[in-house]
Amino acid sequence: MQKEFTHEPDADRYVLRLGGEVASVLDYRVLGDAVAMTRAFTNPRHRGSGFAGELVAFAVDDVEATSARHIVPSCWYVAEWFDRHPERAHLLRPRTT
């Protein structure tokens, strides 16, 4: 089944769809120079497949590529994702460029 990652800025969320079905969602809030990632949710039938981690990686990549904002991991899952990816920790601090 094809994975489709999208950013839906009007809804303040990132979405991973499988064959058109929503598999995982990552909600966020823009707070000035920060993006607070507030909730990661995976459809129960897709849990345990690593989809939330893939979606967080997509969102982190998008924030880094399209803005100078830093990330605030307000959701426990996002905080644990950063713990598992220390190479991305620079995004947790304000960036100057």
Side-chain angles (χ1 to χ4, degrees), residues 2-86:
Q2 174 122 5
K3 294 178 190 175
E4 177 190 0
F5 294 90
T6 57
H7 178 205
E8 298 178 353
D10 292 341
D12 296 331
R13 70 183 194 167
Y14 289 89
V15 179
L16 167 57
R17 288 182 176 80
L18 294 175
E21 174 190 359
V22 173
S24 192
V25 175
L26 176 63
D27 295 322
Y28 69 87
R29 291 187 60 205
V30 174
L31 305 169
D33 67 346
V35 175
M37 294 186 176
T38 58
R39 183 182 75 108
F41 174 80
T42 299
N43 183 320
R45 65 189 222 121
H46 295 295
R47 289 184 183 157
S49 300
F51 295 144
E54 290 181 55
L55 185 57
V56 171
F58 175 81
V60 168
D61 288 346
D62 184 64
V63 170
E64 184 175 31
T66 63
S67 77
R69 292 184 170 101
H70 66 282
I71 296 171
V72 177
S74 299
C75 163
W76 69 267
Y77 185 87
V78 176
E80 286 187 4
W81 186 91
F82 273 100
D83 287 345
R84 290 188 311 274
H85 296 87

